PDB file of all heavy atoms in Angstrom:
ATOM      1  N   LYS A  51     -22.824  -5.743  30.758  1.00  0.00           N
ATOM      2  CA  LYS A  51     -23.532  -6.987  30.461  1.00  0.00           C
ATOM      3  C   LYS A  51     -23.622  -7.168  28.954  1.00  0.00           C
ATOM      4  O   LYS A  51     -24.090  -6.294  28.242  1.00  0.00           O
ATOM      5  CB  LYS A  51     -24.922  -6.972  31.088  1.00  0.00           C
ATOM      6  CG  LYS A  51     -24.898  -7.021  32.606  1.00  0.00           C
ATOM      7  CD  LYS A  51     -26.305  -7.095  33.186  1.00  0.00           C
ATOM      8  CE  LYS A  51     -26.261  -7.189  34.699  1.00  0.00           C
ATOM      9  NZ  LYS A  51     -27.625  -7.252  35.286  1.00  0.00           N
ATOM     10  N   THR A 143     -26.606   3.504  42.524  1.00  0.00           N
ATOM     11  CA  THR A 143     -26.596   4.451  43.636  1.00  0.00           C
ATOM     12  C   THR A 143     -25.373   5.347  43.515  1.00  0.00           C
ATOM     13  O   THR A 143     -24.233   4.866  43.532  1.00  0.00           O
ATOM     14  CB  THR A 143     -26.558   3.710  44.980  1.00  0.00           C
ATOM     15  OG1 THR A 143     -27.722   2.869  45.085  1.00  0.00           O
ATOM     16  CG2 THR A 143     -26.547   4.695  46.142  1.00  0.00           C
ATOM     17  N   LEU A 236     -24.787  25.688  21.219  1.00  0.00           N
ATOM     18  CA  LEU A 236     -23.674  24.885  20.714  1.00  0.00           C
ATOM     19  C   LEU A 236     -23.155  25.425  19.384  1.00  0.00           C
ATOM     20  O   LEU A 236     -21.945  25.401  19.125  1.00  0.00           O
ATOM     21  CB  LEU A 236     -24.113  23.430  20.569  1.00  0.00           C
ATOM     22  CG  LEU A 236     -24.528  22.731  21.872  1.00  0.00           C
ATOM     23  CD1 LEU A 236     -24.963  21.298  21.599  1.00  0.00           C
ATOM     24  CD2 LEU A 236     -23.402  22.764  22.895  1.00  0.00           C
ATOM     25  N   LEU A 283     -24.766  20.322  13.602  1.00  0.00           N
ATOM     26  CA  LEU A 283     -25.690  21.118  14.410  1.00  0.00           C
ATOM     27  C   LEU A 283     -26.593  21.981  13.533  1.00  0.00           C
ATOM     28  O   LEU A 283     -27.816  22.041  13.739  1.00  0.00           O
ATOM     29  CB  LEU A 283     -24.899  22.007  15.372  1.00  0.00           C
ATOM     30  CG  LEU A 283     -24.161  21.301  16.508  1.00  0.00           C
ATOM     31  CD1 LEU A 283     -23.113  22.231  17.112  1.00  0.00           C
ATOM     32  CD2 LEU A 283     -25.132  20.826  17.579  1.00  0.00           C
TER      33      LEU A 283
END
Side-chain angles (χ1 to χ4, degrees):
K51 292 184 178 180
T143 300
L236 298 179
L283 291 163

